[in-house]
Amino acid sequence: MKPSAWRAALRIARRDAARAKGRSALVLAMIALPVLGVAGVDVIARSTQLEPAEQIARKMGGAQAYVTMNTPGSAVVQSPDGEDTTGSRAGQDKQKTPAEQRSASTDPAQLLTELLPGAVLVPTGQAKGTSASTVEGRMSTTVEEVDLTDPVWRGRLNVVEGTAPTRPDQLAATRTFLDRSGLRIGDRTALRGLDSRPYTITAVAEDPGRLDENELYGRPGAVIAPLAQADPNSADSGPQNWTAWLVKLPAGGRIDWPKVKELNGYGFAVASRAVLLDPPARAEVPYYAEEARYSSGYVNKSVLAVAALVPGMALLEIVLLAGPAFAVGARRSRRQLGLLAAGGGDRSHVRAVVLAGGAVLGTGGAVLGLFGGIGLVALLRGPLEEYGGQRFGHFDVQPLDLLAVALVGLVTGLLAAVVPAVQASRQDVVEALTGRGGSKPANRIVAVLGALMVVGGTGLALLCAVTNTAPVPGLLGGSVIAELGMLLCTPLLIGLFGRLGRHLPLSPRLALRDSVRNRGRTAPAVAAVMAAVAGAVAVGIYHASDVEKQRQDYRPSLPAGAVALLRGGSSEAAQYATLREAVEKDLGTLGERADVLSPTAVPRDCGVSYDCGYVQALKTPEKRCPAVDARTDEERERLSGDPRCVETRSLPEELSNMFGDVLIGDPALLHNLFDLHDPAAEQALAAGKALVFRPDRVADGKAFLRAEEQPTQAQIDAGDYQGATRDVTVEAVEVQAPLPFATVVMSREAAQKAGLGLRSEGTLWHPAAVPSDSRVQKTSAHLGKLDDTVYLDVERGFRAERSVKMVGLTAFAALVALGAAGIATGLAAADSQQDLATLAAVGASGGIRRRLSGFQCGVIAAMGTVLGLLCGAVPAVALRLLEARNTQVWINSTPVGHEDAVIAVPWADLAALLVGLPVVAVLLAAVLTRSRIGLTRRAG
């Protein structure tokens, strides 16, 4: 065609779009919607990818380096960013170098200062758990000492409101602490044990990478030391042995890669600003050579699969959504195109007009979606960051990315217009002018081909995921083939759906028959809804599976909803009884009470003292690792090669609690901690037998315990930190429990008979309803007035981790699904206006027309949703299988296999989608259908 013919085609398309404003708006929206989703997800993904300077700021603020030491006296090798470290002489002799010997005998901070002349070390990472007074009472929190007036913290910890603390009696708080406590800037709070010296909150501080932290920040030396003095029995009291520092150097100072390797020789791991900005060549990094011993160039293919699958499926979704839009436009322009052909235009001119419409509307939709996605992310940036728990690095709009998205929208708009253009060019001129000519029946050969594509594509995706063979093309290609195959099956499936009409009332029966009769307009609309729903379902199943994996990995310390009162170091028996009564009175109905004790090596009532030693459960002799009985490190290392010493993978049902692994209690403890209501177990407990909840800890009706006393000062001086031990054998029975939070439970009498002592640990309740946070705060405040050494804890159960990327992907997938369903059904409704006019002409009331229009849209939405549920499950399940295949399980530094795939289907959400989407489509179409239908031009 000549350029002038294309200009004319574009002019006709532009005028046609302007004349049919409603239809053009729907087509624009249909093209813009997926472009909006892809653009929005791209902006979120780019904004959450931190640039080197942003990574440096979050890791070390304004310092020149962030240095840690975990094991003095052991050299390390590290990755350039300091995130990954390993021993520097794996598998070689254990002779320590002079640097290692020096690091083992010298204070780490002093050694680091000597190695970095002129450096100023700012300790970090040392926090103390405590409780603070709130509006309602008292709640648990964490306190850390930070000088927020020092610019070195800027970027790692920012003051976002108020002024940084400058006096010892001032604190900064996170937003989460203020929201939960009900306090504001200017209010005062008292820390546990320091009620006589309250602190004033002067600022809101946040860690940009952890917005949901519940923390307080005080001046250096003003909080942790006073807390340790107020609570000498605290596990984290005493002198602070800092093992992490921010390093400030004189002007122009820097720590280059050779200096980092020198510090590695003394056991320090270093994240250096200079190295992060100018990383060394891979050949200069010893860590990669050490890593090659184990990984052999291992690449996590699931990451690559995600990177290919998301944009690939998004591209397919854009094509399938744009297709019905142009199909409707071409059908609504049949008469105009017929006039063009009757006036001498050939098939190429007809195709050019339809393609020009695709270019005009595709360009407009792509631009509209592009700016809509950027604007929506900018508008919702704050809520997205808050919900995801981390700040964007910066609002990153990548022009090349977005230009590619816009071009994809334009190109797919043109591609989607190709089929309608070819169909329009082949239509009979007389039929086009008269409006006659129905749709052809479904081609069974095409449907069979589609079914084979569905089966083959699904099998290909799952096979590549399970075998980890070519997963990127396999998952993407298989998912696309399956979805296209479902598209080919759609016309035949519409006919099968139509057979349900005989069982339905008049309006839905007419709607089904109309859908079958007009497959040409029904099939593209169903395909559009299917594509949008498939994307939402894939994201939903993947997200639900990820949450379920987190749930399975979560290890609670108590049953969900349980309330525990941990006895303090100075609580006398009578005083503690008062505390228990206070808890039961303040928190209401808590149900049965279980007093929890643990056995001690010294055979007496030890109260709450930890000077009486400990008791642990041992494996049976034939399964026990011989290194357990070793007294020296050399002997322990020699015996650890025994096969019985190889640690096995922890079973999901193995849990631990805050009281200990060997407990003393009565049937109430079995009820509250183990959810065990077994009369036989209670009878065995009353008969003096121990209940064992792990099969490798009991044999021949015996359980094996080891009682270890505290070492004497003479032993400590001699370098022996293990006190006198003795083995104890007790009669036992194996018990299966729904919640095995401990290994052994015995009665008080059985412990005394075995020559063991008693130590009071606390009290446990398991109420039917979880106490509210405000009531727990009030109760904690009441307890603090009676005895400030006790702790009240409530197990609130699993809480899923949140990701900004996943939040954005889920939100945009849901938005596209809902929008596309509404627009696709709206386009189909616009295409059926002539049928509604015919109904009006024969006397149908407005209610009948509205119901018919509503059920027509509902049928399309229902069929598209059902097919979308099937298509969306394929990529989600395949991706979860691939991720499990690429996640290795290690035991003693040896890979022993792969994780089991966790696949969870959000049935409630899918059911709501299956029911809700058609219902919404029915209601919207019924409401938007006019009661009065204007006269339409009679074709022919």
Side-chain angles (χ1 to χ4, degrees):
M1 288 180 58
K2 296 180 180 180
S4 58
W6 279 109
R7 287 196 296 271
L10 288 171
R11 188 162 57 248
I12 293 172
R14 179 177 57 81
R15 291 177 177 176
D16 182 63
R19 183 169 58 250
K21 294 182 176 61
R23 186 187 73 225
S24 299
L26 289 175
V27 174
L28 279 172
M30 184 67 95
I31 298 173
L33 199 59
V35 173
L36 179 148
V38 175
V41 171
D42 178 80
V43 172
I44 291 175
R46 288 292 189 176
S47 299
T48 54
Q49 290 176 352
L50 302 181
E51 295 181 348
E54 294 165 344
Q55 294 176 358
I56 291 170
R58 291 199 180 179
K59 192 173 189 66
M60 65 189 71
Q64 291 301 314
Y66 173 70
V67 181
T68 60
M69 173 178 275
N70 294 328
T71 308
S74 297
V76 299
V77 292
Q78 65 166 74
S79 58
D81 59 4
E83 291 288 342
D84 301 310
T85 62
T86 186
S88 63
R89 299 188 311 281
Q92 299 183 16
D93 62 87
K94 301 298 181 178
Q95 182 66 37
K96 292 186 179 295
T97 65
E100 291 176 315
Q101 294 174 2
R102 184 180 175 193
S103 67
S105 60
T106 308
D107 175 68
Q110 177 185 345
L111 177 60
L112 187 60
T113 304
E114 295 175 3
L115 295 172
L116 299 172
V120 176
L121 305 185
V122 180
T124 182
Q126 195 79 359
K128 180 178 176 67
T130 183
S131 64
S133 59
T134 66
V135 170
E136 296 289 347
R138 184 173 290 275
M139 74 174 186
S140 298
T141 186
T142 303
V143 64
E144 188 174 350
E145 291 182 344
V146 174
D147 183 7
L148 292 176
T149 62
D150 189 340
V152 75
W153 290 98
R154 195 167 301 142
R156 179 183 170 100
L157 195 62
N158 299 320
V159 175
V160 296
E161 188 177 343
T163 57
T166 56
R167 301 202 313 265
D169 63 342
Q170 294 179 340
L171 292 173
T174 61
R175 178 61 62 188
T176 299
F177 174 85
L178 295 180
D179 291 342
R180 288 189 57 192
S181 66
L183 299 174
R184 297 178 296 178
I185 292 178
D187 291 342
R188 308 183 81 186
T189 183
L191 302 181
R192 176 177 176 269
L194 301 178
D195 293 334
S196 60
R197 47 177 297 183
Y199 294 83
T200 302
I201 299 175
T202 64
V204 177
E206 70 174 26
D207 180 340
R210 301 182 306 157
L211 298 181
D212 53 358
E213 289 297 305
N214 173 21
E215 286 199 38
L216 293 170
Y217 303 96
R219 297 282 302 172
V223 183
I224 292 183
L227 284 175
Q229 295 172 2
D231 186 11
N233 295 313
S234 174
D236 52 2
S237 61
Q240 304 302 312
N241 298 316
W242 302 100
T243 58
W245 305 266
L246 300 179
V247 178
K248 297 192 292 185
L249 297 176
R254 62 196 300 268
I255 299 178
D256 55 16
W257 183 241
K259 190 65 176 180
V260 169
K261 292 195 290 184
E262 178 188 346
L263 294 172
N264 290 161
Y266 291 89
F268 294 103
V270 184
S272 167
R273 179 182 295 271
V275 172
L276 288 173
L277 292 176
D278 185 19
R282 188 178 181 89
E284 299 178 16
V285 183
Y287 171 79
Y288 294 135
E290 293 287 342
E291 184 186 35
R293 295 171 181 266
Y294 308 104
S295 63
S296 301
Y298 171 75
V299 177
N300 192 339
K301 298 178 182 179
S302 62
V303 176
L304 301 178
V306 172
L309 194 61
V310 172
M313 296 303 292
L315 177 63
L316 177 62
E317 189 169 326
I318 293 175
V319 174
L320 294 183
L321 289 177
F326 293 113
V328 170
R331 282 194 300 275
R332 296 290 288 173
S333 303
R334 284 186 71 195
R335 180 177 174 80
Q336 175 183 311
L337 297 175
L339 289 173
L340 177 62
D346 57 22
R347 291 186 174 184
S348 63
H349 293 115
V350 175
R351 286 196 299 268
V353 170
V354 178
L355 290 174
V360 170
L361 295 177
T363 302
V367 173
L368 184 65
L370 204 62
F371 286 100
I374 297 172
L376 198 58
V377 175
L379 181 65
L380 299 177
R381 175 178 178 176
L384 283 172
E385 291 176 335
E386 295 291 340
Y387 188 81
Q390 65 182 56
R391 297 288 181 202
F392 288 176
H394 60 287
F395 191 77
D396 193 353
V397 178
Q398 290 286 334
L400 292 180
D401 284 9
L402 299 180
L403 178 62
V405 173
L407 289 177
V408 165
L410 173 59
V411 171
T412 51
L414 288 172
L415 292 176
V418 169
V419 174
V422 173
Q423 291 176 342
S425 65
R426 292 179 178 178
Q427 68 180 348
D428 184 84
V429 176
V430 176
E431 288 184 353
L433 294 175
T434 60
R436 297 171 184 170
S439 61
K440 297 180 181 180
N443 191 320
R444 294 184 180 273
I445 296 179
V446 172
V448 171
L449 176 62
L452 293 176
M453 290 175 64
V454 171
V455 175
T458 302
L460 175 64
L462 297 179
L463 179 64
C464 291
V466 171
T467 61
N468 202 19
T469 304
V472 175
L475 261 67
L476 179 58
S479 301
V480 170
I481 291 172
E483 193 161 337
L484 292 178
M486 191 67 75
L487 178 64
L488 296 180
C489 295
T490 301
L492 182 63
L493 293 175
I494 290 173
L496 297 178
F497 275 109
R499 295 182 180 181
L500 301 175
R502 69 186 69 175
H503 307 293
L504 300 176
L506 176 62
S507 295
R509 184 166 67 251
L510 290 176
L512 272 174
R513 290 179 178 177
D514 179 75
S515 299
V516 174
R517 186 172 62 253
N518 297 283
R519 286 189 179 92
R521 73 177 180 221
T522 303
V526 170
V529 177
M530 177 191 73
V533 171
V537 169
V539 173
I541 293 178
Y542 180 85
H543 180 59
S545 301
D546 184 59
V547 171
E548 180 60 27
K549 178 65 167 60
Q550 295 178 34
R551 190 189 310 278
Q552 293 183 9
D553 292 341
Y554 174 68
R555 292 294 178 265
S557 58
L558 292 172
V563 177
L565 179 66
L566 277 70
R567 189 165 176 177
S570 61
S571 302
E572 297 296 335
Q575 183 183 13
Y576 185 69
T578 304
L579 295 172
R580 287 185 311 206
E581 294 174 359
V583 172
E584 294 175 337
K585 180 179 179 182
D586 292 347
L587 292 183
T589 304
L590 293 178
E592 190 177 22
R593 187 187 77 206
D595 292 322
V596 187
L597 301 96
S598 62
T600 63
V602 178
R604 62 181 174 84
D605 188 346
C606 297
V608 294
S609 173
Y610 285 88
D611 295 333
C612 296
Y614 302 86
V615 175
Q616 62 175 324
L618 300 177
K619 289 184 179 181
T620 57
E622 66 275 6
K623 298 179 181 179
R624 189 181 309 163
C625 170
V628 173
D629 300 317
R631 298 288 300 184
T632 64
D633 292 340
E634 292 75 10
E635 184 182 7
R636 188 174 296 108
E637 184 176 347
R638 179 176 56 83
L639 295 174
S640 61
D642 190 285
R644 291 171 293 179
C645 298
V646 177
E647 297 179 2
T648 56
R649 199 183 319 182
S650 295
L651 299 176
E653 61 269 17
E654 293 179 5
L655 305 172
S656 60
N657 69 86
M658 61 180 59
F659 299 114
D661 197 42
V662 181
L663 301 177
I664 296 173
D666 55 16
L669 179 63
L670 303 180
H671 303 161
N672 292 350
L673 184 61
F674 299 89
D675 192 24
L676 181 64
H677 300 268
D678 184 354
E682 295 178 14
Q683 291 175 6
L685 186 66
K689 294 183 179 181
L691 306 183
V692 182
F693 296 91
R694 292 184 59 175
D696 59 351
R697 284 349 190 233
V698 61
D700 300 325
K702 302 291 184 182
F704 304 89
L705 309 177
R706 175 161 294 175
E708 179 180 341
E709 299 180 6
Q710 290 286 75
T712 64
Q713 188 60 47
Q715 288 177 302
I716 295 176
D717 294 339
D720 184 3
Y721 297 96
Q722 183 175 348
T725 62
R726 72 179 192 277
D727 290 345
V728 178
T729 303
V730 297
E731 294 186 11
V733 294
E734 183 183 349
V735 178
Q736 300 293 329
L739 301 173
F741 275 98
T743 299
V744 176
V745 172
M746 63 179 67
S747 66
R748 181 190 297 260
E749 294 75 18
Q752 293 173 342
K753 181 180 178 181
L756 303 175
L758 306 174
R759 176 171 48 243
S760 177
E761 299 287 353
T763 305
L764 180 67
W765 297 268
H766 197 176
V770 183
S772 66
D773 196 26
S774 61
R775 296 191 69 176
V776 172
Q777 291 181 28
K778 291 179 180 178
T779 305
S780 297
H782 186 190
L783 295 176
K785 296 176 182 178
L786 300 174
D787 183 350
D788 205 26
T789 64
V790 297
Y791 283 92
L792 183 66
D793 187 77
V794 178
E795 175 59 55
R796 300 202 175 270
F798 166 75
R799 294 183 181 181
E801 297 178 1
R802 293 177 293 192
S803 164
V804 176
K805 292 181 182 179
M806 183 55 69
V807 170
L809 193 61
T810 303
F812 278 108
L815 177 64
V816 171
L818 292 172
I823 296 169
T825 53
L827 285 168
D831 202 20
S832 63
Q833 288 299 308
Q834 190 172 359
D835 295 338
L836 296 179
T838 302
L839 281 176
V842 298
S845 65
I848 292 178
R849 294 195 302 273
R850 280 193 295 271
R851 286 195 297 272
L852 177 61
S853 178
F855 281 113
Q856 284 176 329
C857 294
V859 166
I860 292 172
M863 288 189 288
T865 303
V866 171
L867 300 182
L869 292 176
L870 300 176
C871 291
V874 175
V877 172
L879 190 57
R880 293 300 303 179
L881 292 173
L882 179 64
E883 287 185 342
R885 179 69 180 176
N886 279 274
T887 304
Q888 292 182 328
V889 176
W890 296 75
I891 294 178
N892 292 353
S893 302
T894 303
V896 295
H898 304 278
E899 283 190 348
D900 296 329
V902 178
I903 299 173
V905 180
W907 295 109
D909 294 342
L910 297 186
L913 185 66
L914 182 61
V915 175
L917 212 58
V919 169
V920 170
V922 169
L923 296 177
L924 285 177
V927 170
L928 297 178
T929 299
R930 297 177 181 178
S931 297
R932 295 184 178 181
I933 300 294
L935 294 177
T936 60
R937 180 193 304 236
R938 181 181 178 185

